[in-house]
């Protein structure tokens, strides 16, 4: 199905099942342990041997020699895989560093070997006997030190730099301005389930149970890495214990399980040890961001400039931290710039809302700063600088002819107004450091939330069985987000059956290729693909029982038109009916800018003595198209808000620039919020449908929810204490010297 | 993890004797620290002597006043004991500030005293660490040291002792009772139990090889207001950046000990004379000769401020 003009009324608009806060259909399977995760397919591969990954002990250099003798002699050892003995293997299109290092080492904990043994304990004990002689080389590990060497870089398909009007003159002439630099640290996804795979060969065919957000990318890059035809690979990833972007791509566990199984002659399972996760896989790269904003006395932005520096391995990509600044606030004179330096740290890549999450951490504090200089309430300032058309016309090359590109929907102002009212924003003291509650200095902060909506094709297969069941198959994944549920809701709505009659099968490369899970594009696109397949199935059903599907209603297990009603069962008397189709987008995304919007409100307490910061309550108001399931959507947003608190207050991969690695590579050292850190969260979704996004009229929310949170927290800390911290995470040592005297 | 043999002890004395007899033996109690370290091959005992179930799990009054806490009493049970809550509230509070409920259910009194540092380099066997591999160097000096010690450090090691419980025991003047390989018993004042790193950071206590902790004794209650303040980056389940244990009497006199600043619970009795003069005076005595790094210099003002807040709270 081609989607190239705005959606009109369709069966989804009935909202019998769609839009209802139904429980997750996979919930009971997960809470009872029935759902099998990647490492748990004991039934499918009962005789799997265990692989243990050895990570490089140096950050950069070469393996001079490697001694396997003691490992080979250890009890239970079946095989050892190293770059030397693995035969020729390549690298996936989406990987920057190779997934099995040697002789060249590109980063710390890059895999250098897999030891395969009968038991996990044997593999681990044997791995300790591996002797690797390294010839280390010096590398670059400190972003600040190499900032001057950074080069201009593109941001995906968009330009890295943009310019509109005359930023320099406008900024120079502005009566009120700020020019500040902010830093965000490297962050780790730190999801619950580590990367894990079981590989089994049958001749030259490979089956891989893994934990991967993007099935087709995984198959493609695995085929490329192993030099084999894609058709010979079956990849299954039905349940995923979190990913946040770290499982978008093929990773070490999958490649080494496959190589290990080939070498051992039996299935092999590999889970990446937690201590390797932080340096072996990808991470959100650190940024240095300079923001300049000039404003007129009336509170209107006249000049806005945002520059960002980040680093990555050679041939890597920049963190797209300036993207939102091209779209969020009005202002006639603008510039953005993206610079990329070479660093020999592990590979930087996507983590939940790549680009915007980091960019908003800086931008939304800068907005707070300029509002204060103007003497304006920061919410009011944001409202004054709203725009209903894309302000940075140069952001979209080729669209210069249409400078007034509208947003498909943009309710940023409504988000702020609703949130301010619900949160009690009017009680905020404009003067910082003025509110005290016992031990606590109390403050409120706000920030915009912004993230683009991405359209990408997605296919599915839908079958009406003779027993009345509707089966949906697509290679879409559910990374804990609720894909199973909203897909089931879509099919139930379209075919007119109760939710329990729909069974959804996901995460199998034998199913039609979907959008996958990433970039908050999964929900809208994958359900739109299911919608397309359902439309085809409705045609087939209608044809069988003599209806014109365009005029028929599919309700309560029957097909109706006029006063004629025929049960669905009649259509499948002669056998089940199946249809396959997908959604494909024309140039509709070029006709209007599709983005999602929100407003975050946060209240914090800062211990007047210790400067410990604790969030007291949070509210997010989101305007993100149709909310397919308010319960799963809310879960996504509160999870994202929690992650935003982590980014604001504690998450930091600490770089040791002598050794060239992230020091705190376990969950004791890399702290993420615990329950006690998150006392009270509220989420409000504004009523919105976006006919430009898909027949579902939905957009993403899961990444919107994190964008801006950290800025709101930092602004609240400022409001509580009068201390502005521009280097994340905002930890107590950055405040302590400026706190008021105790007692 | 290296292969190891395992035995269940039948009595404290027999456990100590076995530990001296078998090369590379170690006791295991709750296992919450030791097993983690064994999996990472930071600890590589060849033999484990399980000291559970040999009657060291009771809290009993001592005839002359005070409590004897068995080495195997779980952190949860110790924190919840009515007598501890009434007479040694600082201990109860410190215990509850540590780890999480599941870990406290399993962690024991002796194991807690002997838990090892949380210095991040100690956990990465690729990196030099004098504590893990004597003579290999210290990666934290000149590396990442935000959590590490500011007083009593050496050129060999700047690690901290991570226990909360031990800080409260230090302020309570507890004593560690042991039985040695020869069956002899002794009582070690907690002040002398943990060592500073010096040039042998791998030796953390004054226990002799094979010596088993049987109990910790708490002297007669001293009254006063008992407070424990643990400062950390998140609200729960995090090790202390610094902590303050305090017992403050009505007349303003009292005792204070610090966690998170040294290789052992940190108490300087002379500093307590300064209590009437306030937190600044106490802190400057406590932290005299401090040698912080750029990363952990914040601990000095943090100690003073936290102490100030604790003393204010004690006043009510
Ligand atoms: C995730 C996590 C978070 C934590 N957070 C905190 C925290 O915030 N604050 C805090 O204080 N602690 C914290 N801890 C540490 C915890 O308190 C210790 O792991 C626990 O107290 C150790 O007790 P155990 O009985 O399990 O010791 P084990 O692991 O059994 O033993 C530890 C050591 O003690 C020795 N040993 C045990 N019993 C005896 C004995 N009777 N005589 C002589 N030697 C003995 C063992 O040989 C071993 O060397 C945390 C631990 C974890 C895993
Ligand atoms: S501070 Fe101590 S524990 Fe840490 S690396 Fe140095 S020697 Fe090892």
């Amino acid at each position: 199905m081609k989607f190239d003009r705005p959606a009109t009324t369709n069966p989804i608009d009935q909202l019998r099942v769609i839009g209802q806060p139904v429980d997750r259909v996979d919930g009971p399977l997960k809470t009872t342990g029935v759902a099998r995760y990647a490492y748990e397919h004991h039934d499918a591969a009962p005789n799997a041997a265990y692989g243990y990954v050895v990570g490089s002990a140096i950050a950069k250099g070469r393996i001079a020699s490697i001694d396997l003798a003691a490992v080979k002699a250890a009890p239970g050892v079946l095989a050892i895989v190293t770059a030397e003995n693995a035969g020729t293997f390549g690298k996936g299109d989406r990987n920057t560093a190779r997934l099995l290092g040697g002789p060249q080492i590109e980063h710390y904990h890059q895999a250098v070997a897999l030891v395969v043994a009968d038991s996990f304990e044997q593999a681990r004990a044997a791995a300790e006997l591996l002797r690797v002689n390294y010839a280390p080389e010096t590398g670059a590990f400190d972003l600040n030190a190499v900032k001057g060497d950074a080069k201009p870089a593109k941001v995906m398909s968009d330009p890295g730099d943009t310019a509109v009007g005359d930023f320099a003159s406008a900024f120079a002439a502005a009566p009120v301005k700020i020019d500040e630099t902010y830093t965000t640290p490297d962050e780790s996804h730190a999801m619950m389930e580590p990367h894990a795979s079981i590989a089994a060969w049958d001749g030259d065919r490979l089956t891989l149970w893994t934990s991967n957000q993007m099935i087709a990318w995984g198959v493609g890059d695995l085929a490329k890495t192993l030099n084999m035809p894609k058709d010979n690979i079956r990849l299954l990833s039905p349940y995923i214990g979190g990913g946040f972007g770290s499982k978008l791509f093929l990773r070490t566990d999958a490649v080494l399980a496959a190589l290990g199984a080939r070498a051992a002659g039996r299935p092999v399972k590999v889970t990446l040890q937690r201590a390797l996760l932080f340096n072996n896989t990808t991470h959100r790269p650190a940024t240095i961001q300079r923001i300049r904003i000039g404003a007129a006395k009336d509170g209107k932005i006249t000049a806005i400039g945002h520059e960002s520096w980040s680093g990555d391995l050679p041939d890597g990509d920049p963190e797209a931290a300036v993207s939102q600044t091209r779209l969020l606030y009005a202002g006639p004179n603008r510039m953005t710039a993206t610079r990329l330096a070479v660093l020999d740290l592990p590979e930087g890549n996507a983590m939940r809302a790549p680009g915007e999450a980091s960019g908003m951490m800086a931008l939304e504090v800068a907005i707070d700063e300029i509002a204060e200089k103007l003497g304006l309430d920061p919410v009011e300032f944001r409202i004054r600088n709203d725009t209903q058309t894309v302000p940075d016309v140069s952001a979209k090359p080729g669209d210069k002819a249409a400078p007034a590109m509208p947003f498909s929907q943009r309710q940023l102002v409504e988000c702020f107004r609703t949130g301010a009212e619900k949160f009690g924003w009017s009680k905020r003291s404009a003067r910082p450091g003025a509110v005290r509650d016992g031990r606590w200095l109390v403050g409120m902060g706000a920030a915009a939330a912004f993230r683009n909506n991405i359209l990408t094709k997605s296919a599915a297969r839908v079958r009406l069985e003779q027993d009345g069941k509707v089966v949906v198959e697509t290679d879409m994944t559910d990374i804990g987000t609720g894909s199973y549920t909203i897909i089931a809701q879509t099919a139930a709505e379209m075919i007119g059956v109760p939710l329990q009659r729909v069974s959804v099968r996901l995460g199998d490369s034998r199913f039609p290729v979907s959008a996958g899970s990433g970039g908050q594009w999964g929900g809208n696109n994958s359900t739109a693909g299911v919608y397309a397949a359902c439309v085809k199935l409705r045609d087939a059903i209608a044809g069988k029982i003599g209806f014109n599907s365009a005029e028929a209603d599919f309700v309560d297990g029957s097909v109706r038109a006029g006063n004629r009603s025929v049960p669905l069962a009649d259509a499948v008397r002669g056998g089940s009916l199946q249809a396959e189709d997908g959604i494909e987008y024309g140039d509709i995304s070029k006709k209007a800018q599709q983005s999602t919007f929100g407003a975050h409100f946060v209240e914090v307490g800062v211990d007047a003595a210790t400067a410990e910061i604790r969030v007291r309550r949070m509210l997010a108001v989101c305007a993100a198209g149709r909310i397919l399931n308010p319960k799963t959507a809310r879960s996504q947003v509160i999870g994202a808000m929690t992650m935003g608190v982590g980014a604001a207050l504690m998450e930091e991969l600490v770089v040791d620039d002598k050794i060239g690695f992230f020091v705190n590579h376990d969950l004791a050292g890399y702290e993420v919020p615990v329950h006690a850190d998150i006392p009270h969260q509220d989420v409000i979704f504004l009523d919105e449908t976006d006919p430009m996004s898909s027949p579902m009229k939905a957009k993403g929310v899961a990444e919107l929810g994190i964008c801006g949170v950290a800025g709101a927290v930092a602004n609240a800390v400022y409001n509580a204490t009068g201390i502005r911290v521009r280097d994340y995470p905002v930890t107590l040592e950055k405040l302590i010297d400026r706190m008021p005297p105790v007692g | 993890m290296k292969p190891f043999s395992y035995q269940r002890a039948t009595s404290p004395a027999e456990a100590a004797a076995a530990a001296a007899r078998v090369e590379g033996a170690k006791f295991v109690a709750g296992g919450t620290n030791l097993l983690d370290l064994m999996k990472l091959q930071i600890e590589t005992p060849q033999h484990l002597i399980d000291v559970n179930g040999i009657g060291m799990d009771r809290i009993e009054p001592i005839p002359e006043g005070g409590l004897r806490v068995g080495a195997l009493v779980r952190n949860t049970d110790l924190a919840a004991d009515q007598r501890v809550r009434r007479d040694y509230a600082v201990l109860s509070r410190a215990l509850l500030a540590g780890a999480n409920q599941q870990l406290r259910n399993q962690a024991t009194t002796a194991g807690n005293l002997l838990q090892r540092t949380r210095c991040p380099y100690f956990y990465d066997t690729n990196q030099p660490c004098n504590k893990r591999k004597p003579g290999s160097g210290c990666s934290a000096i000149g590396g990442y040291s935000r959590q590490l010690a500011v007083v009593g450090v050496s050129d060999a090691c700047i690690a901290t002792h991570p226990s909360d419980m031990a800080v409260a025991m230090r302020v309570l003047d507890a004593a560690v009772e042991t039985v040695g390989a020869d069956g002899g018993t002794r009582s070690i004042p907690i002040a002398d139990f943990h060592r500073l790193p010096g040039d042998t950071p791998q030796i953390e206590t004054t226990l002799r090889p094979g010596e088993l902790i049987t109990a910790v004794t708490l002297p007669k209650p001293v009254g006063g207001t008992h407070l424990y303040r643990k400062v950390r980056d998140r609200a729960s389940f995090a090790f202390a950046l610094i902590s303050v244990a305090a017992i403050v009497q009505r007349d303003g006199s009292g005792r204070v000990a610090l966690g998170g600043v040294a290789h052992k619970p940190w108490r300087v009795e002379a500093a307590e004379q300064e209590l009437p003069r306030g937190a600044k005076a106490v802190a400057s005595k406590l932290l005299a000769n401090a040698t912080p790094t750029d990363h952990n210099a914040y601990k000095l003002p943090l100690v003073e401020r936290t102490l100030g807040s604790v003393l204010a709270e004690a006043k009510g």
Side-chain angles (χ1 to χ4, degrees), chain B residues 117-123 127-133 136-141 144 148-149 154-160 197 201 204 263:
Chain B
T117 187
R118 292 283 162 177
C119 170
Y121 299 95
F122 177 72
Y123 286 86
Q127 304 309 331
C129 167
N130 287 324
K131 186 183 275 300
R132 177 169 30 75
K133 196 168 175 211
S136 61
C138 171
S139 302
I141 297 176
Y144 175 58
L148 304 189
S154 71
D155 291 343
C157 179
I158 58 171
T160 54
E204 293 166 350
H263 202 252

Side-chain angles (χ1 to χ4, degrees), chain A residues 108 609 656 658 672 677 733 740, chain B residues 121 124 142 146 234-235 305:
Chain A
Y108 195 74
D656 181 318
K658 290 203 192 65
V672 299
D677 292 303
E733 73 268 35
Chain B
Y121 299 95
D124 188 332
R146 176 172 182 262
R234 64 180 176 192
R305 298 179 65 93

Side-chain angles (χ1 to χ4, degrees), chain A residues 719-739:
Chain A
N719 185 242
T721 61
I723 302 168
R724 189 67 80 180
V725 178
R726 300 187 183 88
D727 301 297
Y728 290 99
V730 184
T731 44
L732 58 83
E733 73 268 35
K734 296 172 188 168
L735 301 171
I736 195 98
D737 289 334
R738 290 181 278 167
M739 291 290 284

Side-chain angles (χ1 to χ4, degrees), chain A residues 335-356:
Chain A
M335 63 82 67
T336 63
T338 307
R339 297 289 174 270
L340 176 63
V342 172
L343 286 178
D344 299 298
L345 288 170
E347 175 176 340
N349 216 316
M351 176 166 149
R352 199 173 198 167
E356 280 99 331

Side-chain angles (χ1 to χ4, degrees), chain A residues 482-621:
Chain A
S483 311
Y484 277 105
T485 312
I486 55 173
I487 285 174
Q489 285 174 273
T490 304
E493 189 83 63
M494 290 298 291
I495 310 299
V497 297
L499 196 62
Q500 310 78 263
R501 290 260 210 97
V502 181
S503 93
V504 178
R505 299 185 190 149
L506 301 182
D508 184 336
S509 59
R510 292 205 175 150
F511 298 155
V513 175
S514 72
S517 299
Q520 77 169 12
W521 63 59
N524 176 51
N525 293 295
S526 73
T527 52
V530 172
Y531 169 94
C534 285
V535 167
K536 230 183 186 175
L537 182 62
R538 283 162 66 113
D539 288 345
I541 294 168
K544 277 270 176 210
I545 49 180
F547 282 91
N548 173 354
S549 70
E551 287 158 14
D553 284 334
F554 286 62
V555 192
D556 293 340
S558 48
V559 186
R560 294 175 199 163
N563 47 18
R564 187 166 164 246
S565 173
V566 177
L568 283 173
D570 287 9
V572 283
R573 284 261 147 75
S576 65
L577 288 173
Q578 177 169 299
E580 183 172 331
D581 200 5
I583 195 85
E584 274 179 66
Y585 300 92
D587 62 354
I588 192 152
S589 66
K590 301 224 167 68
K591 293 185 182 140
Q593 171 63 37
Q594 294 191 25
S595 304
T596 60
F597 297 88
H600 288 290
F601 292 83
V602 174
E603 183 180 287
V604 302
V606 181
D607 188 298
T610 63
E612 287 166 286
I613 302 161
R614 301 287 181 255
V615 170
R616 292 155 71 102
R617 56 194 184 100
M618 309 177 77
L619 167 68
V621 184

